[in-house]
Amino acid sequence: MTVRAAPKSTGSLSLWARAGLALLAFAVYAAAYVPLYRVADTGASALVLIPVVITAWLLGSWGGVLAGLLGFPLNAALLLLTGERVAPLLLDLDSLEGPALVVVVGAVFGLLRDLGMQVQAQLERWRRATSDLQESQDRYRAVVEETSEGVVLIDTETKKIVEGNPAFRVMAAYGGDELRECRLYDLLSESRQEIDRGIAEIRSGKHFTGEKRLRRKDGSLGEVEVAVDLIVYGGREVLCCVVRDITERKRAAALLARYTEQLQEALAELEAITYSVSHDLRTPLLTIHGFGTHLLEGHAAQLDDEGRDFLNRMLSAADRMDALINDLLVYGRVGRAEPKLEPLDTGSVITKTIDQLEAVLSQRGAQVTVTKPLPRAVADAGVLGQVLENLLSNAIKFVPPDRTPHVRVRGEINGNRARIWVEDNGIGIAPEHRERIFRVFERLNPADAYSGTGVGLAIVQKGVERMGGKVGVESQPGKGSQFWIELAAAGE
Amino acid sequence: MEEYNVRIGPVLLVEDNGDYALLVRLAFKDARVGNPLHVVGDGEAAIEYFTSWARGEPMSTPLPSLVLLDLSLPGKSGFDVLTWLRSQPRFASMPVVVLSSSSDPGDLERIRNLGAEDYVVKPTRFGDLVTIVGTLARTWLLGQGPASADAVDQA
């Protein structure tokens, strides 16, 4: 809002300045009186009206009256200065009309001045109000004119376009005034009946928001999103439509959907190939392992210690490869198969998993403590078994050889999420590695120190994700790791 | 250990991989399965073996007591051989155990529907192969039936 300068008038001077000016006018009059008397005789007294009028103009009606009342004794005093012998109480007019006239003139001029000030103030107020209104209208107009949203007003009776902002004209490819010649029927791809029905619905008080196809001037169609409200504009009932061009957005979305589909197809194909290749890779393993075993057992006499060592290394490499391929197959299967989610007792799944791992656990002398009851969760029994199996074997794998692996399994419920913790007393994981360990083939430790394929925790992550859950780990190097998986809790 | 020879007919192995066939032979020895092992290299040869027996040449092609059938064979696949066998009334009750490197649940379903007695995923360790061969022999050659078949399902 602009700050207006105060009007240039007497009102802008302070009261004391104005009083000073009035006194100055009287002083000038008093000083000029004696010379004037010599020229005009007592007629000079009438000139007291000049300072009185000036005072009235400066100070308003009350100032004028006061000045008029002062004028009479002043004139009397000034007459005495001239040595005039006339009775001092009378002016030269020989009556009371003289002093009364001065007071009246002062009062009238003062009143006129006050009135003038008020009229001026009122005019100023009106002017200000009008310009405020104009400014606010300008602001709204600017918003409508400058916005990138199309705004178009349509008469509900005639269906004619009342107004359309520049953004809308660009969308519909219409020139300045051409739009006013249009009717709503020209702008939409729908039939007249459909349009009339839509308008009737909006007039019955239904707000409309949705997508429409806009027919441009050249007949081409664009995709738009429209919000329609009923308003009164210039005494007419009109549809106020806010229109957004979503043609590009729709095209981009369609493109994205197509790319995503292609990508998924390519991924599925790749997974299928990995799966079948993994199978084919297993066949030669039996050959290597089978003949290696026979060589070692049946032909040991022909080999020296070095030869047997080489053979043992080959056999353990075949074992590692076997484990790796198996893990990859499980990883592929967990990623491909659609999980059958159902409410499960996770406690019975963990019991089964521990039974299956019996051989591995006892070979390492590991102890597993399960704190029952474990929560019920929504999961796929097979996938959850794979996840827990990999968590358990991971828990006993990264324990220094001179330490007895001790694994604790416990559960907790947080709201509608069930969490299962698998805690070990292994070597732990530094914070900076906690994201990496869930990726395929990520290994933090040299192969000789701790055997692992680098796939186990990736299976955990993939399996839990497929069941709509989350995985995580808390750990301090040297103080063991606490892995958790979180699934949707199932009611009792 | 006693040798198993209640059903003394040969075991017919349909397998195109010579290494694998030799390993199965070695496993027969280690598992002390006394039945002779005949190996044919593809589906055509397997069908030819049976038709030859049917023509009355039991000396060169004795009727098997058990068929071990690989799925992925050149030419006619294991599925084709199984389908053909079950379509012949004479061989409809011949015990067939499928050996495969695939553990695809879809394949398993198809094999069961085609009427195979059992399905074994090929192991990658020789010791496992010996165990499997021993179990198969006890089940199908000693006539103990598929009660112990669980031990065979090593995926």
Side-chain angles (χ1 to χ4, degrees), chain A residues 323-341:
Chain A
L324 180 56
I325 291 170
N326 273 332
D327 278 355
L328 278 178
L329 281 172
V330 171
Y331 183 74
R333 203 157 33 214
V334 166
R336 270 152 52 95
E338 199 56 47
K340 292 186 204 77
L341 296 179

PDB file of all heavy atoms in Angstrom, chain A residues 323-341:
ATOM      1  N   ALA A 323      27.490 -74.312  -1.699  1.00  0.00           N
ATOM      2  CA  ALA A 323      26.746 -73.494  -0.735  1.00  0.00           C
ATOM      3  C   ALA A 323      26.289 -72.198  -1.386  1.00  0.00           C
ATOM      4  O   ALA A 323      25.155 -71.735  -1.186  1.00  0.00           O
ATOM      5  CB  ALA A 323      27.631 -73.191   0.479  1.00  0.00           C
ATOM      6  N   LEU A 324      27.181 -71.619  -2.185  1.00  0.00           N
ATOM      7  CA  LEU A 324      26.865 -70.358  -2.840  1.00  0.00           C
ATOM      8  C   LEU A 324      25.701 -70.509  -3.813  1.00  0.00           C
ATOM      9  O   LEU A 324      24.757 -69.708  -3.810  1.00  0.00           O
ATOM     10  CB  LEU A 324      28.123 -69.879  -3.576  1.00  0.00           C
ATOM     11  CG  LEU A 324      28.032 -68.576  -4.343  1.00  0.00           C
ATOM     12  CD1 LEU A 324      27.584 -67.467  -3.416  1.00  0.00           C
ATOM     13  CD2 LEU A 324      29.377 -68.240  -4.954  1.00  0.00           C
ATOM     14  N   ILE A 325      25.766 -71.570  -4.616  1.00  0.00           N
ATOM     15  CA  ILE A 325      24.693 -71.783  -5.592  1.00  0.00           C
ATOM     16  C   ILE A 325      23.375 -72.035  -4.871  1.00  0.00           C
ATOM     17  O   ILE A 325      22.329 -71.505  -5.242  1.00  0.00           O
ATOM     18  CB  ILE A 325      25.045 -72.942  -6.546  1.00  0.00           C
ATOM     19  CG1 ILE A 325      26.199 -72.511  -7.448  1.00  0.00           C
ATOM     20  CG2 ILE A 325      23.844 -73.329  -7.387  1.00  0.00           C
ATOM     21  CD1 ILE A 325      26.791 -73.642  -8.265  1.00  0.00           C
ATOM     22  N   ASN A 326      23.445 -72.824  -3.805  1.00  0.00           N
ATOM     23  CA  ASN A 326      22.223 -73.080  -3.027  1.00  0.00           C
ATOM     24  C   ASN A 326      21.634 -71.786  -2.498  1.00  0.00           C
ATOM     25  O   ASN A 326      20.429 -71.554  -2.583  1.00  0.00           O
ATOM     26  CB  ASN A 326      22.524 -74.005  -1.863  1.00  0.00           C
ATOM     27  CG  ASN A 326      22.431 -75.456  -2.286  1.00  0.00           C
ATOM     28  OD1 ASN A 326      21.687 -75.771  -3.212  1.00  0.00           O
ATOM     29  ND2 ASN A 326      23.190 -76.315  -1.639  1.00  0.00           N
ATOM     30  N   ASP A 327      22.507 -70.923  -1.944  1.00  0.00           N
ATOM     31  CA  ASP A 327      22.014 -69.657  -1.410  1.00  0.00           C
ATOM     32  C   ASP A 327      21.407 -68.797  -2.514  1.00  0.00           C
ATOM     33  O   ASP A 327      20.368 -68.160  -2.325  1.00  0.00           O
ATOM     34  CB  ASP A 327      23.147 -68.896  -0.724  1.00  0.00           C
ATOM     35  CG  ASP A 327      23.379 -69.408   0.695  1.00  0.00           C
ATOM     36  OD1 ASP A 327      22.591 -70.275   1.127  1.00  0.00           O
ATOM     37  OD2 ASP A 327      24.320 -68.948   1.355  1.00  0.00           O
ATOM     38  N   LEU A 328      22.075 -68.781  -3.670  1.00  0.00           N
ATOM     39  CA  LEU A 328      21.542 -67.993  -4.783  1.00  0.00           C
ATOM     40  C   LEU A 328      20.190 -68.520  -5.230  1.00  0.00           C
ATOM     41  O   LEU A 328      19.290 -67.753  -5.566  1.00  0.00           O
ATOM     42  CB  LEU A 328      22.513 -68.019  -5.969  1.00  0.00           C
ATOM     43  CG  LEU A 328      23.668 -67.026  -5.886  1.00  0.00           C
ATOM     44  CD1 LEU A 328      24.574 -67.203  -7.091  1.00  0.00           C
ATOM     45  CD2 LEU A 328      23.157 -65.601  -5.834  1.00  0.00           C
ATOM     46  N   LEU A 329      20.037 -69.834  -5.218  1.00  0.00           N
ATOM     47  CA  LEU A 329      18.756 -70.423  -5.601  1.00  0.00           C
ATOM     48  C   LEU A 329      17.672 -70.016  -4.610  1.00  0.00           C
ATOM     49  O   LEU A 329      16.562 -69.662  -4.998  1.00  0.00           O
ATOM     50  CB  LEU A 329      18.866 -71.954  -5.660  1.00  0.00           C
ATOM     51  CG  LEU A 329      19.530 -72.499  -6.924  1.00  0.00           C
ATOM     52  CD1 LEU A 329      19.775 -73.993  -6.788  1.00  0.00           C
ATOM     53  CD2 LEU A 329      18.666 -72.231  -8.147  1.00  0.00           C
ATOM     54  N   VAL A 330      18.020 -70.067  -3.337  1.00  0.00           N
ATOM     55  CA  VAL A 330      17.047 -69.663  -2.310  1.00  0.00           C
ATOM     56  C   VAL A 330      16.710 -68.185  -2.492  1.00  0.00           C
ATOM     57  O   VAL A 330      15.543 -67.789  -2.473  1.00  0.00           O
ATOM     58  CB  VAL A 330      17.609 -69.917  -0.892  1.00  0.00           C
ATOM     59  CG1 VAL A 330      16.697 -69.303   0.157  1.00  0.00           C
ATOM     60  CG2 VAL A 330      17.749 -71.415  -0.649  1.00  0.00           C
ATOM     61  N   TYR A 331      17.751 -67.364  -2.705  1.00  0.00           N
ATOM     62  CA  TYR A 331      17.551 -65.932  -2.899  1.00  0.00           C
ATOM     63  C   TYR A 331      16.613 -65.687  -4.081  1.00  0.00           C
ATOM     64  O   TYR A 331      15.671 -64.904  -3.997  1.00  0.00           O
ATOM     65  CB  TYR A 331      18.898 -65.250  -3.134  1.00  0.00           C
ATOM     66  CG  TYR A 331      18.825 -63.759  -3.272  1.00  0.00           C
ATOM     67  CD1 TYR A 331      18.599 -62.949  -2.169  1.00  0.00           C
ATOM     68  CD2 TYR A 331      18.999 -63.148  -4.506  1.00  0.00           C
ATOM     69  CE1 TYR A 331      18.539 -61.580  -2.284  1.00  0.00           C
ATOM     70  CE2 TYR A 331      18.940 -61.772  -4.635  1.00  0.00           C
ATOM     71  CZ  TYR A 331      18.713 -60.990  -3.523  1.00  0.00           C
ATOM     72  OH  TYR A 331      18.654 -59.634  -3.647  1.00  0.00           O
ATOM     73  N   GLY A 332      16.870 -66.408  -5.186  1.00  0.00           N
ATOM     74  CA  GLY A 332      16.030 -66.262  -6.368  1.00  0.00           C
ATOM     75  C   GLY A 332      14.599 -66.703  -6.096  1.00  0.00           C
ATOM     76  O   GLY A 332      13.651 -66.040  -6.496  1.00  0.00           O
ATOM     77  N   ARG A 333      14.453 -67.802  -5.361  1.00  0.00           N
ATOM     78  CA  ARG A 333      13.124 -68.331  -5.091  1.00  0.00           C
ATOM     79  C   ARG A 333      12.340 -67.384  -4.189  1.00  0.00           C
ATOM     80  O   ARG A 333      11.177 -67.090  -4.428  1.00  0.00           O
ATOM     81  CB  ARG A 333      13.239 -69.712  -4.443  1.00  0.00           C
ATOM     82  CG  ARG A 333      12.011 -70.549  -4.610  1.00  0.00           C
ATOM     83  CD  ARG A 333      12.296 -72.020  -4.479  1.00  0.00           C
ATOM     84  NE  ARG A 333      13.368 -72.316  -3.535  1.00  0.00           N
ATOM     85  CZ  ARG A 333      14.216 -73.314  -3.691  1.00  0.00           C
ATOM     86  NH1 ARG A 333      14.133 -74.106  -4.731  1.00  0.00           N
ATOM     87  NH2 ARG A 333      15.164 -73.522  -2.803  1.00  0.00           N
ATOM     88  N   VAL A 334      13.028 -66.861  -3.157  1.00  0.00           N
ATOM     89  CA  VAL A 334      12.368 -65.936  -2.236  1.00  0.00           C
ATOM     90  C   VAL A 334      11.932 -64.675  -2.986  1.00  0.00           C
ATOM     91  O   VAL A 334      10.860 -64.135  -2.760  1.00  0.00           O
ATOM     92  CB  VAL A 334      13.319 -65.577  -1.069  1.00  0.00           C
ATOM     93  CG1 VAL A 334      12.815 -64.372  -0.302  1.00  0.00           C
ATOM     94  CG2 VAL A 334      13.462 -66.755  -0.134  1.00  0.00           C
ATOM     95  N   GLY A 335      12.779 -64.226  -3.943  1.00  0.00           N
ATOM     96  CA  GLY A 335      12.444 -63.017  -4.684  1.00  0.00           C
ATOM     97  C   GLY A 335      11.350 -63.225  -5.705  1.00  0.00           C
ATOM     98  O   GLY A 335      10.621 -62.304  -6.040  1.00  0.00           O
ATOM     99  N   ARG A 336      11.228 -64.465  -6.219  1.00  0.00           N
ATOM    100  CA  ARG A 336      10.287 -64.707  -7.308  1.00  0.00           C
ATOM    101  C   ARG A 336       8.896 -65.116  -6.832  1.00  0.00           C
ATOM    102  O   ARG A 336       7.900 -64.650  -7.366  1.00  0.00           O
ATOM    103  CB  ARG A 336      10.828 -65.828  -8.204  1.00  0.00           C
ATOM    104  CG  ARG A 336      11.687 -65.355  -9.338  1.00  0.00           C
ATOM    105  CD  ARG A 336      12.704 -66.399  -9.747  1.00  0.00           C
ATOM    106  NE  ARG A 336      12.109 -67.703 -10.014  1.00  0.00           N
ATOM    107  CZ  ARG A 336      11.763 -68.133 -11.217  1.00  0.00           C
ATOM    108  NH1 ARG A 336      11.900 -67.346 -12.243  1.00  0.00           N
ATOM    109  NH2 ARG A 336      11.270 -69.338 -11.383  1.00  0.00           N
ATOM    110  N   ALA A 337       8.869 -66.010  -5.860  1.00  0.00           N
ATOM    111  CA  ALA A 337       7.572 -66.572  -5.468  1.00  0.00           C
ATOM    112  C   ALA A 337       6.742 -65.540  -4.702  1.00  0.00           C
ATOM    113  O   ALA A 337       7.266 -64.792  -3.897  1.00  0.00           O
ATOM    114  CB  ALA A 337       7.782 -67.811  -4.610  1.00  0.00           C
ATOM    115  N   GLU A 338       5.465 -65.515  -5.002  1.00  0.00           N
ATOM    116  CA  GLU A 338       4.553 -64.631  -4.281  1.00  0.00           C
ATOM    117  C   GLU A 338       4.316 -65.237  -2.892  1.00  0.00           C
ATOM    118  O   GLU A 338       3.867 -66.380  -2.789  1.00  0.00           O
ATOM    119  CB  GLU A 338       3.248 -64.538  -5.066  1.00  0.00           C
ATOM    120  CG  GLU A 338       2.375 -63.346  -4.710  1.00  0.00           C
ATOM    121  CD  GLU A 338       3.110 -62.025  -4.856  1.00  0.00           C
ATOM    122  OE1 GLU A 338       3.777 -61.808  -5.896  1.00  0.00           O
ATOM    123  OE2 GLU A 338       3.031 -61.226  -3.914  1.00  0.00           O
ATOM    124  N   PRO A 339       4.638 -64.502  -1.802  1.00  0.00           N
ATOM    125  CA  PRO A 339       4.469 -65.100  -0.473  1.00  0.00           C
ATOM    126  C   PRO A 339       2.982 -65.295  -0.135  1.00  0.00           C
ATOM    127  O   PRO A 339       2.152 -64.471  -0.489  1.00  0.00           O
ATOM    128  CB  PRO A 339       5.128 -64.087   0.461  1.00  0.00           C
ATOM    129  CG  PRO A 339       5.159 -62.806  -0.293  1.00  0.00           C
ATOM    130  CD  PRO A 339       5.183 -63.152  -1.754  1.00  0.00           C
ATOM    131  N   LYS A 340       2.702 -66.427   0.524  1.00  0.00           N
ATOM    132  CA  LYS A 340       1.328 -66.657   1.007  1.00  0.00           C
ATOM    133  C   LYS A 340       1.276 -66.180   2.445  1.00  0.00           C
ATOM    134  O   LYS A 340       1.756 -66.861   3.353  1.00  0.00           O
ATOM    135  CB  LYS A 340       0.986 -68.148   0.945  1.00  0.00           C
ATOM    136  CG  LYS A 340       0.880 -68.692  -0.458  1.00  0.00           C
ATOM    137  CD  LYS A 340       0.380 -70.138  -0.404  1.00  0.00           C
ATOM    138  CE  LYS A 340       0.791 -70.913  -1.643  1.00  0.00           C
ATOM    139  NZ  LYS A 340       2.215 -71.342  -1.644  1.00  0.00           N
ATOM    140  N   LEU A 341       0.715 -64.989   2.657  1.00  0.00           N
ATOM    141  CA  LEU A 341       0.734 -64.397   3.989  1.00  0.00           C
ATOM    142  C   LEU A 341      -0.448 -64.886   4.808  1.00  0.00           C
ATOM    143  O   LEU A 341      -1.588 -64.880   4.337  1.00  0.00           O
ATOM    144  CB  LEU A 341       0.708 -62.872   3.887  1.00  0.00           C
ATOM    145  CG  LEU A 341       1.932 -62.262   3.199  1.00  0.00           C
ATOM    146  CD1 LEU A 341       1.799 -60.753   3.118  1.00  0.00           C
ATOM    147  CD2 LEU A 341       3.210 -62.646   3.923  1.00  0.00           C
TER     148      LEU A 341
END
